[in-house]
Amino acid sequence: MRYSDEELIEYLHELYTELGRTPGKRDLEKYSYDAYRKHFGSFNNALLKAGLPLKRHANYSDNEILSWIQNFYKANGRSPYEFEFIKLFGDSTLFTRRWGTWSNTLKAAKVPVRTSFKSLSNEEMLDRLIEVCKMLGRVREPHLH
């Protein structure tokens, strides 16, 4: 019998709601563990695709973690934010122990790293805003009453 990815994902969501936690291999009744492996490459990939947190006690290889980041990038057209990764895995130690920083983790996964913006003073921010307004032709002279 063939199942769609959507059916398998929906069942994971049902189990998550019913159990109040991320389902594991032993919780599967409707669809087999092998069905998830065949459709998604691994059960953890299915959990990621479903947007469910992974079990924290699992030992993940560097390649697994980096491939999840790459899959996220392919599926969403952007690199994941650190908070999204932490939401899935429960903490940041999975990558900080291996790569030190989130930027280094993204570099290791060979996905784009966002550039961080320096803090600007209120005056610098206003100057930049005025520049953008001028470029857009939306600067008006103040009305004096």
Side-chain angles (χ1 to χ4, degrees):
M1 183 175 229
R2 295 210 47 111
Y3 311 112
S4 71
D5 288 0
E6 292 77 21
E7 287 175 284
L8 294 169
I9 295 295
E10 186 177 321
Y11 180 57
L12 289 177
H13 283 279
E14 290 170 13
L15 282 175
Y16 183 77
T17 301
E18 179 184 314
L19 299 169
R21 62 172 169 77
T22 299
K25 182 178 180 178
R26 293 180 185 155
D27 300 313
L28 300 175
E29 294 173 4
K30 188 174 179 181
Y31 303 106
S32 72
Y33 181 77
D34 286 335
Y36 286 95
R37 281 200 358 235
K38 287 177 186 171
H39 276 256
F40 302 100
S42 74
F43 188 67
N44 282 334
N45 281 344
L47 293 173
L48 285 169
K49 182 83 171 173
L52 298 176
L54 300 178
K55 295 185 175 265
R56 291 181 64 186
H57 65 276
N59 293 319
Y60 305 112
S61 72
D62 290 1
N63 286 337
E64 283 178 302
I65 295 168
L66 297 176
S67 72
W68 293 328
I69 293 170
Q70 291 163 348
N71 289 337
F72 182 98
Y73 177 75
K74 289 174 190 168
N76 297 285
R78 65 171 176 82
S79 299
Y81 290 102
E82 183 176 359
F83 77 87
E84 292 170 313
F85 188 89
I86 292 170
K87 182 180 173 186
L88 286 172
F89 291 96
D91 63 25
S92 61
T93 58
L94 263 176
F95 65 87
T96 55
R97 287 186 184 156
R98 299 166 197 230
W99 298 285
T101 65
W102 184 241
S103 291
N104 288 343
T105 305
L106 295 177
K107 287 176 191 172
K110 296 183 172 86
V111 298
V113 178
R114 277 178 215 76
T115 56
S116 58
F117 299 98
K118 69 174 189 153
S119 296
L120 299 174
S121 69
N122 287 343
E123 188 175 312
E124 290 171 314
M125 188 69 78
L126 282 173
D127 287 343
R128 290 202 179 174
L129 182 60
I130 290 168
E131 286 175 32
V132 170
C133 288
K134 284 179 181 176
M135 284 179 6
L136 297 173
R138 298 185 184 220
V139 175
R140 293 186 196 156
E141 294 299 319
H143 296 290
L144 300 175
H145 294 258

